[in-house]
Amino acid sequence: MNTRGENMDLRELTEKTLKLFNLGDVDDLGDCLMKSVLNNQVDKFQAFVDLVNGDLNRDWLQMIYQYYLADRRSLKQDYTPASISLLLAKYAKRNNITEIVDVCAGSGALTIQQWVENNNVTVRCQEIDDRVIPYLMFNLVIRNIAGTVEHKDVLKNIVFARYSIKRGEKFATVFKQSTI
């Protein structure tokens, strides 16, 4: 079994992540991620960072969600390739953009790449799929990214829930603002 995060394949990543959360099924991972961010379970945040050998430049959770849980049939979910995320992040950096809106954020690949370019970025992430929002928030928390996450239908401009994410010393903290 590999010990370095960058060499970890999907099967190994999934097994180790499920073990970290004491789960037997990937379908239950979102609930555990949501519980960990809402209850500020710093031990889980650190354990995941250790699991990926501190490599937070990559969206590890996207790999799991996209392979096992993405709903391509009815929600047409497809995830942003790393090359597109990198291009947009370089553009934002070159133009000194420090606040971004990530519409249809998924697990946060665009936001993460922007964070790689600028650790002080502030974000507003919007996503309609409530099953992926825990993955997104966990990703923001372990990277200490400040901003908001909205469970939102961007086409109808309807917000179902809003979360505020505040930077901390090492990990961010999530506060539920509202449910509509």
Side-chain angles (χ1 to χ4, degrees):
M1 210 181 260
N2 298 318
T3 56
R4 298 207 28 102
E6 65 271 8
N7 294 325
M8 197 174 343
D9 67 9
L10 175 62
R11 179 193 50 77
E12 183 180 9
L13 172 65
T14 303
E15 288 173 2
K16 287 182 174 186
T17 302
L18 292 178
K19 184 177 179 183
L20 169 68
F21 288 96
N22 299 313
L23 297 173
D25 191 334
V26 74
D27 288 334
D28 299 323
L29 182 56
D31 290 337
C32 285
L33 293 173
M34 184 63 98
K35 179 182 174 188
S36 71
V37 298
L38 292 177
N39 294 320
N40 198 30
Q41 294 178 335
V42 175
D43 58 323
K44 295 293 185 191
F45 306 153
Q46 187 60 56
F48 186 82
V49 170
D50 293 344
L51 185 147
V52 297
N53 197 38
D55 179 7
L56 297 179
N57 291 345
R58 185 172 178 187
D59 184 355
W60 296 97
L61 293 175
Q62 178 193 45
M63 294 169 54
I64 295 171
Y65 190 87
Q66 183 173 339
Y67 186 80
Y68 293 102
L69 301 168
D71 185 350
R72 288 193 164 140
R73 183 159 291 178
S74 64
L75 293 179
K76 308 297 185 220
Q77 289 178 320
D78 226 339
Y79 286 80
T80 308
S83 58
I84 300 297
S85 296
L86 180 60
L87 175 69
L88 292 172
K90 295 282 186 191
Y91 173 82
K93 182 178 182 179
R94 184 172 0 146
N95 291 286
N96 297 317
I97 298 169
T98 58
E99 295 180 47
I100 62 166
V101 177
D102 189 349
V103 178
C104 303
S107 59
L110 287 170
T111 297
I112 291 168
Q113 190 60 56
Q114 180 61 38
W115 171 82
V116 169
E117 295 295 323
N118 175 5
N119 290 147
N120 292 316
V121 67
T122 301
V123 302
R124 190 168 102 208
C125 297
Q126 301 172 335
E127 175 59 47
I128 193 168
D129 184 3
D130 61 342
R131 295 179 325 136
V132 76
I133 288 174
Y135 291 77
L136 170 61
M137 290 198 305
F138 192 89
N139 272 330
L140 298 177
V141 166
I142 64 174
R143 290 168 178 83
N144 206 12
I145 299 173
T148 59
V149 171
E150 296 175 321
H151 175 205
K152 180 178 184 175
D153 182 331
V154 296
L155 297 177
K156 295 179 181 175
N157 198 29
I158 299 171
V159 178
F160 306 106
R162 183 176 290 120
Y163 304 88
S164 175
I165 303 175
K166 307 285 185 202
R167 271 191 195 94
E169 275 187 49
K170 184 169 186 175
F171 301 113
T173 303
V174 173
F175 302 93
K176 189 168 186 178
Q177 291 185 330
S178 64
T179 302
I180 299 169

